[in-house]
Amino acid sequence: MATVRLSFSPAPVHVRTARLVGVAVARRAGVREDLLDEVRLAIGEACTRAVALHRQYGLHDPVLVEMSDSGQYAVRVIDRAPIEASIGLAALPPDELADESLTDEALTTGVGFALLAGFVEDLQVRPVDEGIGTEVRMVWPVGR
């Protein structure tokens, strides 16, 4: 299968569509049925995080989602928020994420990573090549 690309304006209403498309592509790629709820939740969380960052920084650029199944099912969610905001909390341990001094915006990002780590065994978060934004890459095995 070819890569499926989806871009949407940073509005919460579009996250549901991204989840539906992501699960449909996962099913077609051969992801086991018992993993589809994890796929749905993870894609929803990654897209929600990207939308929240775009809205926080007043960005109108679309959120990008790419799904492919070259040997495994991989999903990339790409935001265009400043890197400091996007990955600043990625390295914090869960007990520090509970720190009441963190802002709501920071918690959105940090809790998003904590939830994603619970849903996805193969999770990577890294800066986008162009230097603006981050890529959340999630991978699941296919059962073909």
Side-chain angles (χ1 to χ4, degrees):
M1 171 173 49
T3 298
V4 175
R5 289 183 180 87
L6 174 67
S7 65
F8 60 90
S9 59
V13 69
H14 301 303
V15 172
R16 181 174 187 268
T17 302
R19 283 194 319 250
L20 290 170
V21 171
V23 170
V25 174
R27 185 172 278 125
R28 183 177 174 130
V31 173
R32 291 189 338 249
E33 198 68 31
D34 62 318
L35 293 177
L36 293 180
D37 279 340
E38 291 176 18
V39 170
R40 179 180 297 107
L41 292 169
I43 291 173
E45 189 59 41
C47 289
T48 297
R49 180 191 154 278
V51 166
L53 286 168
H54 278 229
R55 292 171 67 92
Q56 177 184 346
Y57 287 92
L59 303 172
H60 299 290
D61 297 357
V63 172
L64 306 174
V65 182
E66 292 184 358
M67 299 159 255
S68 62
D69 74 342
S70 55
Q72 55 194 1
Y73 180 57
V75 177
R76 297 172 59 216
V77 178
I78 301 167
D79 68 68
R80 293 316 221 170
I83 291 176
E84 315 77 61
S86 299
I87 64 174
L89 296 178
L92 285 181
D95 58 328
E96 288 185 38
L97 290 175
D99 184 346
E100 292 179 17
S101 68
L102 294 173
T103 65
D104 288 341
E105 292 84 10
L107 284 174
T108 297
T109 303
V111 171
F113 285 128
L115 289 173
L116 282 171
F119 296 139
V120 184
E121 286 184 32
D122 189 349
L123 171 69
Q124 297 174 356
V125 180
R126 57 185 169 219
V128 176
D129 291 336
E130 298 86 33
I132 298 176
T134 55
E135 169 189 328
V136 175
R137 185 173 185 273
M138 305 169 285
V139 178
W140 291 270
V142 293
R144 286 188 242 163

